[in-house]
Amino acid sequence: MSANEALIKVVDLKKAFTGVHALNGVSTEIKKGEVVFVVGPSGSGKSTFLRCLNRLEDPSGGHIYFDGVDLMDQKVNINTHRQKMGMVFQHFNLFPHMTILKNMTLAPMKLQGVSKADAEAEAIKLLKRVGLGDRANAYPSQLSGGQKQRVAIVRALCMKPEVLLFDEPTSALDPEMVGEVLSVMRELANEHMTMVVVTHEMGFAREVADRILFMADGQILEEGKPDEFFAHPKNDRLKAFLSKVI
């Protein structure tokens, strides 16, 4: 794939819940190695957009092309493609009855046929990378929120995904724990991991994003590079939004 080729291409994406149009024709492209942040008011469709990218939510219309494959094609094995799209949730979604090591090795062993020895070696390496090498045999209940979210990130990395999707990864954390999670994400961005991040952390978006999308009413109303996005917003809804959050 060339540097200018889109890893993810979204065309006229729609999602309707009962009586509510959460997405109203969203179109965008995300290139390999690009870090894209999605911001906007609550209820704007940000998380729905993110969850549609790997079809955790089934869109009502439109197309999502990933690695050139239309994920809306009924013949596509969506589970195969989900393995290439790591997802980090707001509330960690760790299995409480399993150790951290088991949480991290379950999917590579079960879905990719990785041996136990190799899966554990990779998990330990990733845990050390985020400062949690001594917590492999702990259970989620024994970890702080920031530690759980760091585990959730490296658990996704165990699958060697092509892209990481983050759904408000710091919004459930106490303020003093936010920094430790953002530092891991910052490191991934510096390594050119393709990332799509839904967040309310405007300072982090300004620092790390290659491009920022502003969503409201289920649409992308403006997008741009951080400097231009924050310093010279054009859309009136974006101007009003930034005046409240910055």
Side-chain angles (χ1 to χ4, degrees):
M1 178 177 293
S2 71
N4 291 320
E5 200 171 338
L7 178 62
I8 300 171
K9 183 176 181 180
V10 180
V11 181
D12 197 28
L13 193 65
K14 297 180 175 71
K15 175 62 181 178
F17 297 100
T18 307
V20 178
H21 291 279
L23 297 177
N24 278 314
V26 172
S27 297
T28 192
E29 294 186 1
I30 296 157
K31 295 181 173 63
K32 186 173 179 61
E34 190 175 25
V35 179
V36 176
F37 277 62
V38 186
V39 305
S42 296
S44 60
K46 306 184 301 294
S47 290
T48 301
F49 167 67
L50 197 74
R51 293 170 67 86
C52 281
L53 290 182
N54 63 357
R55 292 216 6 230
L56 284 177
E57 292 283 359
D58 264 326
S60 310
H63 297 274
I64 303 161
Y65 298 94
F66 177 58
D67 269 345
V69 176
D70 187 354
L71 300 188
M72 296 298 288
D73 188 334
Q74 296 302 311
K75 297 190 288 291
V76 164
N77 183 340
I78 190 61
N79 289 322
T80 299
H81 287 275
R82 280 191 188 130
Q83 292 179 35
K84 304 174 188 177
M85 283 186 170
M87 185 93 178
V88 180
F89 298 91
Q90 184 175 346
H91 294 289
F92 327 127
N93 286 22
L94 300 176
F95 295 112
H97 61 290
M98 293 182 182
T99 64
I100 298 308
L101 189 62
K102 190 73 185 288
N103 263 282
M104 294 180 66
T105 58
L106 180 66
M109 290 169 60
K110 193 176 178 78
L111 299 176
Q112 296 180 330
V114 178
S115 71
K116 183 178 180 182
D118 286 347
E120 289 187 348
E122 180 68 12
I124 293 294
K125 183 178 81 173
L126 287 167
L127 283 172
K128 287 179 178 176
R129 172 178 172 174
V130 297
L132 295 172
D134 61 339
R135 307 300 279 159
N137 294 313
Y139 286 85
S141 62
Q142 298 171 298
L143 271 57
S144 70
Q147 289 173 326
K148 288 177 192 174
Q149 195 59 293
R150 280 184 279 161
V151 169
I153 293 171
V154 291
R155 177 182 61 175
L157 290 174
C158 279
M159 294 292 286
K160 301 188 178 351
E162 294 183 38
V163 59
L164 278 179
L165 310 176
F166 292 86
D167 190 6
E168 300 193 20
T170 60
S171 62
L173 300 178
D174 292 332
E176 66 269 21
M177 296 176 184
V178 169
E180 60 194 54
V181 174
L182 295 186
S183 68
V184 175
M185 295 174 66
R186 186 180 292 109
E187 188 177 317
L188 291 171
N190 289 339
E191 294 171 2
H192 305 293
M193 164 64 79
T194 310
M195 295 160 61
V196 186
V197 184
V198 170
T199 188
H200 293 291
E201 299 281 347
M202 293 299 142
F204 186 59
R206 185 194 291 261
E207 175 194 349
V208 173
D210 294 313
R211 184 161 50 97
I212 304 176
L213 311 180
F214 172 68
M215 289 189 68
D217 303 324
Q219 297 176 308
I220 297 173
L221 299 185
E222 188 164 333
E223 61 180 281
K225 294 187 178 299
D227 289 347
E228 184 71 16
F229 184 90
F230 286 106
H232 305 290
K234 299 174 185 67
N235 182 275
D236 287 340
R237 291 290 300 277
L238 175 56
K239 290 176 184 176
F241 174 74
L242 291 176
S243 71
K244 292 172 184 164
V245 298
I246 293 180

